[in-house]
Amino acid sequence: MSVARGKVLLCKAKAQGEPEEGEKDYVTVLESAGFSCTQLPVLRFEFINLKKLQVLLVQNSYSGLILTSPRSAEAVKLSLEQGEAWLESIFSHIWKNLPIYCIGPTTERVARNILGLQRYCGSESGNAEELAKFIINEMQSASDNPEARPLLYPCSAIARDTMSTTLEAGGITMQKLPVYKTLPSKTLQTDLNDILSNSLPEYVVFFSPSAVRYVTNVIKRNRSEKLIEQMKFVAIGPVTEKALVEAGLKVYATSRQPDPIALSNALQNMLVKK
């Protein structure tokens, strides 16, 4: 099967709160750099523990909120919508001046769009370890109280311990609550087969370890391993890079930031090296 040179397959999930222009950012930036793009919706999400999250959000018990993905922001919004109308007013009053720590510009953009609030920071961080270190620096330089209130961390049910262990090592307490499960899209196999039946993308970009697992499972189930040798696999962030390696795939390039410009630069840098 032929490979479409310069074609990029983006294996990512669409955030419910992502504005249309934000969702198109990756396609716009990559196409302006001379690539062509196809998007594959790999994941779907099931929200959990929303009642517990709702209770925590309206307690004046925290010094900040950690959002490591758009789904975390969506969970906050959904939990408030499932309660009485006055809950959102209390939430806004409690959290309006507290820091909302986000990984990457997409998470911050979604949070701003659906939550409002004012103090968003840390979006230059590309992964949990970088954000945790940012939080430690911020809190140590800003706090005169060694017994500061904990941070609230709504996260994926399969979230790694990186955030927790790094913050704890820095003397910062937090409360972690799983608020969503990550599942494969119900149409993943059909959608992927349709894409691969035409011409193969030259580059396949993965945005999360879950996407790596589900896409490679479909390829192996279809006994299409030979196709793997013809494509170049690209990771968003070091955690996804590690997942590709563990799946036995060769990593062509890694974008250190979850950002379309960083991804475009990573691809173009590899072309320059040829």
Side-chain angles (χ1 to χ4, degrees):
M1 185 176 293
S2 63
V3 175
R5 298 301 172 190
K7 181 177 180 181
V8 180
L9 177 61
L10 299 170
C11 302
K12 71 189 298 288
K14 185 181 186 301
Q16 294 177 8
E18 175 75 339
E20 190 64 26
E21 63 272 17
E23 184 65 19
K24 291 179 179 177
D25 275 354
Y26 279 93
V27 174
T28 301
V29 170
L30 290 172
E31 289 185 346
S32 68
F35 300 96
S36 62
C37 292
T38 300
Q39 297 193 65
L40 174 66
V42 177
L43 307 175
R44 60 188 174 92
F45 303 96
E46 177 183 310
F47 292 95
I48 58 176
N49 293 327
L50 294 185
K51 285 294 183 183
K52 291 182 180 178
L53 178 59
Q54 182 187 104
V55 171
L56 299 179
L57 289 170
V58 295
Q59 294 176 358
N60 193 13
S61 303
Y62 302 97
S63 60
L65 182 66
I66 301 173
L67 301 175
T68 53
S69 74
R71 259 60 59 190
S72 299
E74 291 168 21
V76 171
K77 180 66 173 178
L78 286 172
S79 72
L80 295 171
E81 290 177 342
Q82 291 183 4
E84 301 293 335
W86 48 265
L87 284 174
E88 292 201 44
S89 177
I90 293 178
F91 168 78
S92 297
H93 176 75
I94 291 173
W95 292 93
K96 65 180 179 180
N97 293 317
L98 295 177
I100 313 299
Y101 299 106
C102 302
I103 288 183
T106 299
T107 300
E108 179 179 330
R109 183 165 53 234
V110 170
R112 284 185 183 276
N113 187 49
I114 65 178
L115 300 180
L117 306 178
Q118 297 176 12
R119 289 185 59 191
Y120 294 91
C121 51
S123 62
E124 300 83 2
S125 305
N127 55 66
E129 183 177 8
E130 290 180 4
L131 182 60
K133 290 178 178 178
F134 174 88
I135 293 171
I136 291 169
N137 290 335
E138 287 288 300
M139 295 190 71
Q140 288 180 344
S141 62
S143 177
D144 295 325
N145 179 10
E147 298 181 357
R149 293 177 296 173
L151 297 167
L152 179 59
Y153 177 33
C155 60
S156 165
I158 56 173
R160 297 170 184 247
D161 294 330
T162 305
M163 179 66 70
S164 306
T165 55
T166 306
L167 289 179
E168 287 173 4
I172 295 174
T173 59
M174 53 163 283
Q175 181 165 356
K176 180 179 179 180
L177 178 68
V179 292
Y180 67 91
K181 296 179 180 179
T182 303
L183 305 168
S185 164
K186 293 180 179 179
T187 60
L188 175 58
Q189 181 161 337
T190 300
D191 292 341
L192 183 57
N193 289 343
D194 287 345
I195 291 170
L196 299 182
S197 65
N198 295 315
S199 60
L200 297 180
E202 183 175 10
Y203 308 99
V204 182
V205 181
F206 292 97
F207 288 72
S208 70
S210 296
V212 172
R213 182 169 68 254
Y214 295 135
V215 170
T216 54
N217 282 347
V218 170
I219 291 175
K220 291 175 181 177
R221 191 182 307 130
N222 293 345
R223 298 181 179 178
S224 305
E225 289 94 334
K226 289 185 178 180
L227 300 180
I228 290 176
E229 300 173 3
Q230 302 179 61
M231 296 181 287
K232 298 168 183 173
F233 297 96
V234 181
I236 303 294
V239 176
T240 304
E241 178 184 48
K242 183 179 179 183
L244 281 171
V245 172
E246 291 175 347
L249 301 178
K250 182 179 179 180
V251 180
Y252 176 75
T254 299
S255 171
R256 294 297 165 184
Q257 301 290 330
D259 174 79
I261 295 176
L263 173 59
S264 178
N265 289 341
L267 290 175
Q268 293 182 82
N269 288 340
M270 293 303 296
L271 291 173
V272 170
K273 291 180 181 179
K274 284 186 175 182

